[in-house]
Amino acid sequence: MSDEADSAVDPVTLEVLRNAASAVAEEMNATLVRTAYSPNITDRLDCSCAIFDPDGGMIAQAENIPVHLGAMPFSVAAALEEHPPETLEPGDGIAVNDPFRGGAHLPDVTLVTPVFSGGAGDEGEEPNAGDRELVALAANRAHHADVGGATAGSVSAESTEIYAEGIRIPPVRLLKGGEFDSDLLATILANVRTPEERRGDLRAQAAANDVGRERIGDLIDEHGAVGFAEAIDAIQDYSERRMRNRIAELPDGEFSFADVLDDDGHGTEDVRIEATVTIDGETLSVDFEGTAAQTESPINAVRAVTASATYYAVRCVTDPEIPPNAGSYRPIELRTPSGTVVDAEPPAAVVGGNLEVSQRVTDVVLGALAEVAPERAVAAGQGTMNNVTLGGTDPRDGSAYAFYETQGGGSGAHATGDGLDAVHVHMSNTRNTPAEVLETAYPLAIERYELLPDSGGAGEFRGGLGLRRDIRVERGSAQLSLLGDRREHAPYGIEGGEDGATGTDVQIEGSGAEGAVGRSSEVLPSKCTRRLETGDVISIRTPGGGGFGDPKDRDPESVLRDVRLGKCSPERARSVYGLDSDE
């Protein structure tokens, strides 16, 4: 089967509309980032946007957070199930974060806005209802820095059921006629620690969807509702053909891989995730039979999260340039045993599933696909998001604050090069919070921020380096929550490459002058909650990526370059890479 096929839409128009649809999603995302209140969205870019067809099939997305984008179709489907297309009105906005009704975890709030033809998407320009036609849906997902629950930031390793993790929003009509439902909004804001920030971020989500609605309306005006609908079908069919063709190029067979999460934070160690990839012609299935049962901890993922990680891994190995939409997912079948950590049942706590289980699912699916296509294989990246939340009362003005951040680490090496240093890997694609922003917005300070030498796995191509980020409580006290992994089991190397270094979390007491040596310290569990006082420091030291190939085959000039840059110690250069002292 070729990438081309007969279509009612000519190739030029198809390509124009495909790129236009992507541009709509990108502009939506830019609007969301520009207008949000919280540093988590404006600076860390922890948000994603996409547009969908009237049946809930994705048309195009802004390439932002992988764990958002593959899971967002489940939220849109839940919104349509609760609010069928015939019940939607211009200016509606359906909000949802319930993981068991299409969401991922509670901090991720999705907003879905209908787009109608005939100008019916514009409030105040209501045509005949009989002439109105739903032509698309604009949707976005944003990680809110706090949605209530037992701990500030709503990300805690201590929760044992969903009710402790924050306010749970089923698919509800949060906006009507372009205005927020004041009762619903008041209910949401009464259950969070930072209501004004939440109000601002929700308004930014609505503004982003308004931009999507307007831009899609422009496309309808230019190409007509029928022409737009035909183009949507053609775009999705095109992606499906390309994905089927790429899968057909892979060898048929079954390929299995398994890995573990260190623990669940509640006493269960080595939480196993196993995947068997079956390739049969132009279809690919992934079966997670053999995966551990769901835990009494937040280390559980719902099916939407597992699907998102699986789709991402398959795209990486087949062809990342295939336009991501509903069509590209059609040849991929997913089997997730209910009641496991990859398809948890209520009332499981799930905040860590979106963050940590998603990363290990990615590692496992990529591990299985490495056997299928070794030339496209990549060693394990850091395999964790290194989640840290700090919250309390800001002594500067007496207001509540909730700070949430994920930390970068090493990405895995591959057949054509080294892994990247200190980046967010795979399912996380956010930035860090700039030190200047963090210190302005919160009573916190960055005491230390640097790469960790020798943390990348050695190989012909080395893994990326992890980082160290020390955050000090400048004023008052703060509640700390950590939720991370790869502190016991290292990111794997491949083809003879060595494993990357594991991570560590250290609490450093605030006694002594700023930066003074000799302060007492304690290595913390990677999943825990603590209280920090003025001057205390949490030091997050993240894992490195795995290496690729025999270290003895590494180019000596590359080793020397790393030594000069402080990325590789002279001792490691000699003992692992075989450079003599003269070099």
Side-chain angles (χ1 to χ4, degrees):
M1 183 185 296
S2 68
D3 284 347
E4 293 77 26
D6 294 337
S7 170
V9 184
D10 69 86
V12 173
T13 301
L14 176 63
E15 191 67 6
V16 167
L17 279 169
R18 185 179 70 80
N19 283 280
S22 296
V24 170
E26 293 288 353
E27 187 176 355
M28 290 169 59
N29 208 76
T31 301
L32 178 50
V33 168
R34 284 200 311 270
T35 59
Y37 276 36
S38 68
N40 198 52
I41 298 173
T42 60
D43 294 285
R44 289 191 60 250
L45 310 184
D46 200 344
C47 57
S48 299
C49 296
I51 60 174
F52 294 79
D53 65 33
D55 296 322
M58 185 186 290
I59 302 168
Q61 65 184 35
E63 298 268 12
N64 295 101
I65 314 298
V67 77
H68 287 177
L69 293 164
M72 210 187 307
F74 290 80
S75 294
V76 174
L80 291 176
E81 181 179 2
E82 187 68 24
H83 304 275
E86 62 271 16
T87 69
L88 295 174
E89 300 287 340
D92 281 352
I94 311 302
V96 59
N97 77 343
D98 186 348
F100 304 107
R101 297 286 298 278
H105 66 173
L106 297 182
D108 284 342
V109 179
T110 300
L111 187 67
V112 183
T113 299
V115 182
F116 295 95
S117 63
D122 298 321
E123 297 83 34
E125 296 185 19
E126 183 73 23
N128 257 323
D131 298 333
R132 195 170 64 216
E133 180 184 359
L134 182 67
V135 293
L137 299 155
N140 66 67
R141 174 171 288 180
H143 184 120
H144 286 251
D146 184 88
V147 290
T151 60
S154 311
V155 175
S156 171
E158 295 190 351
S159 56
T160 59
E161 54 184 5
I162 189 74
Y163 310 113
E165 296 190 319
I167 187 167
R168 190 170 160 196
I169 307 170
V172 295
R173 205 181 308 256
L174 184 59
L175 285 96
K176 300 176 182 178
E179 299 295 331
F180 280 90
D181 182 306
S182 58
D183 292 337
L184 275 176
L185 183 60
T187 300
I188 293 170
L189 299 183
N191 283 277
V192 301
R193 294 173 177 82
T194 50
E196 290 310 307
E197 189 176 83
R198 302 287 66 74
R199 185 196 305 272
D201 286 351
L202 286 169
R203 290 177 66 87
Q205 288 186 259
N209 282 1
D210 282 346
V211 168
R213 175 181 52 76
E214 292 170 5
R215 297 296 177 264
I216 294 170
D218 293 341
L219 294 176
I220 298 295
D221 290 343
E222 183 175 354
H223 299 277
V226 173
F228 182 74
E230 290 176 344
I232 289 172
D233 290 342
I235 289 168
Q236 293 170 340
D237 291 346
Y238 170 73
S239 289
E240 179 181 1
R241 288 194 302 274
R242 285 190 59 175
M243 179 60 78
R244 289 186 182 279
N245 288 343
R246 299 304 171 258
I247 293 173
E249 293 171 357
L250 302 174
D252 286 355
E254 290 189 359
F255 310 89
S256 298
F257 195 87
D259 202 344
V260 298
L261 291 151
D262 294 338
D263 62 275
D264 70 348
H266 290 233
T268 300
E269 298 181 347
D270 296 352
V271 180
R272 182 181 178 87
I273 297 178
E274 181 175 347
T276 298
V277 175
T278 301
I279 299 173
D280 183 8
E282 57 184 25
T283 62
L284 181 151
S285 66
V286 183
D287 190 341
F288 287 91
E289 188 66 42
T291 292
Q294 66 188 63
T295 69
E296 293 186 0
S297 82
I299 306 301
N300 302 294
V302 293
R303 180 179 167 86
V305 169
T306 302
S308 187
T310 301
Y311 295 153
Y312 164 83
V314 173
R315 282 193 68 210
C316 286
V317 173
T318 52
D319 182 358
E321 298 302 317
I322 295 174
N325 56 48
S328 63
Y329 303 148
R330 289 171 189 159
I332 304 169
E333 182 182 352
L334 191 68
R335 299 180 189 132
T336 54
S338 183
T340 64
V341 294
V342 296
D343 191 353
E345 297 177 340
V350 296
V351 69
N354 190 69
L355 303 167
E356 298 301 309
V357 176
S358 68
Q359 294 282 51
R360 197 63 71 252
V361 168
T362 304
D363 288 341
V364 167
V365 177
L366 285 175
L369 290 171
E371 187 178 350
V372 182
E375 72 283 358
R376 305 178 195 174
V378 60
Q382 66 163 337
T384 175
M385 296 192 193
N386 303 293
N387 306 273
V388 56
T389 60
L390 288 160
T393 300
D394 190 336
R396 297 174 298 182
D397 59 11
S399 65
Y401 75 93
F403 164 75
Y404 169 74
E405 187 175 63
T406 57
Q407 310 294 336
S411 70
H414 45 87
T416 57
D418 294 344
L420 298 176
D421 303 326
V423 294
H424 289 78
V425 173
H426 293 319
M427 302 312 289
S428 171
N429 191 33
T430 58
R431 297 177 179 174
N432 70 324
T433 307
E436 299 84 356
V437 173
L438 181 149
E439 294 176 357
T440 300
Y442 310 105
L444 308 170
I446 299 298
E447 186 171 285
R448 189 167 177 171
Y449 194 29
E450 62 193 22
L451 294 176
L452 291 174
D454 296 341
S455 56
E460 179 181 1
F461 299 107
R462 67 161 176 83
L465 302 184
L467 60 80
R468 175 174 175 174
R469 186 164 168 92
D470 291 6
I471 304 173
R472 185 176 66 249
V473 179
E474 280 284 87
R475 302 175 182 87
S477 60
Q479 184 182 45
L480 164 72
S481 290
L482 295 177
L483 186 56
D485 208 76
R486 290 293 196 198
R487 270 54 180 172
E488 299 295 332
H489 297 280
Y492 58 79
I494 59 174
E495 301 296 317
E498 295 186 357
D499 293 346
T502 55
T504 310
D505 304 289
V506 180
Q507 179 180 343
I508 305 171
E509 289 187 357
S511 58
E514 178 184 329
V517 297
R519 291 183 292 176
S520 62
S521 62
E522 176 191 1
V523 175
L524 298 178
S526 64
K527 304 171 182 68
C528 69
T529 300
R530 293 288 189 275
R531 188 164 189 83
L532 303 185
E533 302 298 336
T534 301
D536 286 353
V537 172
I538 177 62
S539 177
I540 302 104
R541 304 164 192 186
T542 67
F548 183 102
D550 189 335
K552 295 296 190 291
D553 293 333
R554 185 163 176 78
D555 175 20
E557 285 301 319
S558 296
V559 179
L560 291 172
R561 178 199 62 204
D562 281 350
V563 171
R564 288 193 295 269
L565 293 174
K567 296 182 177 183
C568 177
S569 65
E571 295 76 17
R572 184 177 175 90
R574 287 191 291 269
S575 63
V576 176
Y577 291 110
L579 268 68
D580 60 39
S581 55
D582 290 339
E583 292 178 291

